[in-house]
């Protein structure tokens, strides 16, 4: 009997080591593949390639726009604040005088179908080969963008669902007929590790879980109906220089520019879902391997810590 138990535990140990090794290899492989971004930089009928970036006024969206322009793409800058978008456009035009930029104004918390009809009309003349659906944020008003569901107003919850679920879904539906029929196109859905189900981010995390499934299902659908179009869901985590997080970057909290570079480097990596920044990819794997009870404890402690350390927007000038 003792020998049987010894053999059992040895077998379990080998199995566990094998699972960890397989997960490690699976995590590393996509980071060894070169980016396929340039595949989507091509002209058609004399029209140059355009990328559309939602939420381009600041943060990761603005960083995406800079990176794409540096790679040769013309960029449509989406946001709801004309003044901020015009400032970003001027910065980009100065930095990349050979590129063209266009502003697209739309409030992502207001999702009347007529808005998307207008978007289609505004973009119909462009050769769009890359879509970065980046607009999204927690609408909770507590420190660090956190807050219990009960503490939020019904309007705040509705705005968050529109911003994080309805708008990206309706936008992709609007853009699909505009994407090339005879050449490659790519749709990037920016998500979050909040899809693990963090407390104090219930509605936001659920919206990202929706986007995770949406991106995977859309990718499978494209294989059947539009095989020239690929999709990816990017599982982002803590980043500085965004709406609710400021301060100096660190290994596990990179600047938005670093995150945008990492995200674009994963284009064509062969995975439908990926944490594009390698330290976050490691965290994601570790988190998935944790027992449920341990996850609950870790998530609770980390979110309470974020609430204590998070900065409100009015504190932005106090950060370095």
């Amino acid at each position: 009997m003792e020998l049987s138990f010894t053999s059992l535990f040895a077998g379990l140990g080998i199995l566990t080591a094998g699972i960890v090794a397989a997960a490690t290899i699976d995590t590393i492989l996509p980071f060894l593949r070169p980016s396929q971004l340039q595949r989507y930089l091509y002209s058609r009928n004399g029209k140059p390639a355009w990328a559309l970036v939602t939420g381009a006024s600041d943060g990761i969206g603005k960083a995406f726009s800079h990176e794409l322009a540096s790679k040769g793409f013309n960029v449509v800058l989406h946001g709801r604040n004309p003044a901020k978008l015009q400032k970003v456009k001027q910065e980009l035009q100065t930095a990349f005088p050979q590129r063209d930029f266009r502003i697209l104004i739309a409030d992502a918390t207001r999702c009347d179908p007529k808005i998307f009809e207008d978007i289609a009309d505004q973009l119909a003349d462009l050769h769009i080969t890359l879509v970065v659906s980046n607009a999204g944020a927690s609408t909770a008003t507590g420190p660090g963008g956190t807050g219990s569901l009960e503490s939020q107003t019904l309007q705040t919850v509705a705005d968050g669902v529109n911003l994080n679920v309805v708008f990206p879904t309706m936008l992709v539906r609007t853009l699909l007929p505009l994407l090339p029929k005879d050449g490659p196109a790519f749709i990037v859905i920016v998500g979050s590790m909040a899809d693990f189900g963090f407390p104090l981010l219930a509605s936001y995390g659920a919206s990202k879980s929706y986007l995770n499934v949406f991106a995977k299902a859309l990718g499978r659908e494209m294989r059947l109906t539009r095989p020239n179009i690929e999709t990816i869901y990017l599982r982002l985590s803590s980043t500085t220089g965004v709406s609710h997080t400021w301060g100096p970057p660190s290994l596990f909290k990179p600047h938005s520019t670093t995150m945008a570079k990492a995200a674009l480097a994963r284009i064509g990596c062969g995975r439908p879902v990926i944490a594009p920044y390698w330290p976050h990819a490691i965290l994601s794997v570790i988190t998935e391997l944790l027992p449920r009870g341990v996850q609950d404890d870790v998530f609770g402690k980390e979110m309470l810590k974020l609430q204590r350390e998070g900065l409100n927007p009015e504190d932005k000038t106090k950060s370095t």
Side-chain angles (χ1 to χ4, degrees), residues 1 11 14 30 33 49 56 98 122 128-129 186 190 200 216 220 223 240 254 274 287 294 313 320:
M1 181 66 69
I14 293 172
R33 298 186 63 176
Q98 71 278 26
Q122 292 186 57
I128 298 174
T129 61
F186 204 98
V190 176
L200 305 179
K216 287 188 288 189
R220 289 168 178 154
R223 291 194 193 107
T240 64
I274 191 169
T287 301
V294 177
T320 56

Side-chain angles (χ1 to χ4, degrees), residues 45-153:
N45 300 320
K47 294 182 177 181
W50 283 77
L52 167 64
V53 179
T54 67
S57 299
D58 49 30
I60 297 176
K62 181 179 177 181
F64 268 123
S65 301
H66 273 267
E67 289 303 310
L68 288 167
S70 73
K71 301 297 184 183
F73 287 86
N74 300 316
V75 186
V76 178
L77 308 166
H78 159 266
R80 64 178 178 177
N81 187 317
K84 290 178 69 174
L85 284 176
Q86 188 60 43
K87 182 179 179 181
V88 173
K89 180 182 177 182
Q90 290 175 350
E91 291 177 7
L92 288 167
Q93 200 70 77
T94 299
F96 308 101
Q98 71 278 26
R99 304 272 75 83
D100 289 326
F101 302 94
R102 185 178 294 190
I103 288 176
L104 176 65
I105 307 295
D107 186 345
T109 65
R110 303 290 180 264
C111 295
D112 188 314
K114 293 181 179 179
I115 293 174
F116 298 95
E117 293 174 3
D118 181 58
I119 289 175
D121 290 340
Q122 292 186 57
L123 303 179
D125 63 315
L126 300 182
H127 171 54
I128 298 174
T129 61
L130 181 67
V131 177
V132 181
S133 178
N134 164 77
S138 169
T139 52
T141 57
T146 62
S148 67
L149 184 62
E150 187 177 8
S151 70
Q152 300 175 54
T153 67

Side-chain angles (χ1 to χ4, degrees), residues 109 137-139 155-166 203 207:
T109 65
S138 169
T139 52
Q155 186 60 58
T156 298
V157 174
D159 288 348
V161 172
N162 279 333
L163 171 61
N164 296 302
V165 173
V166 181
S203 180
S207 72

Side-chain angles (χ1 to χ4, degrees), residues 30-51:
F31 291 85
L32 302 179
R33 298 186 63 176
S35 174
Q36 300 298 307
L37 181 63
Q38 293 300 311
R39 180 169 182 256
Y40 306 94
L41 184 63
Y42 66 97
S43 300
R44 271 292 184 272
N45 300 320
K47 294 182 177 181
W50 283 77

Side-chain angles (χ1 to χ4, degrees), residues 241-292:
V242 297
S243 59
H244 291 294
T245 308
W246 299 276
S250 62
L251 178 62
F252 288 101
K253 190 179 290 184
H255 191 269
S256 56
T257 299
T258 301
M259 183 64 80
K261 289 178 182 291
L264 293 178
R266 304 285 83 77
I267 296 295
C269 70
R271 301 296 169 83
V273 176
I274 191 169
Y277 178 63
W278 70 265
H280 291 168
I282 293 173
L283 285 178
S284 181
V285 171
I286 292 173
T287 301
E288 288 176 341
L289 293 174
L290 293 175
R292 172 64 183 273

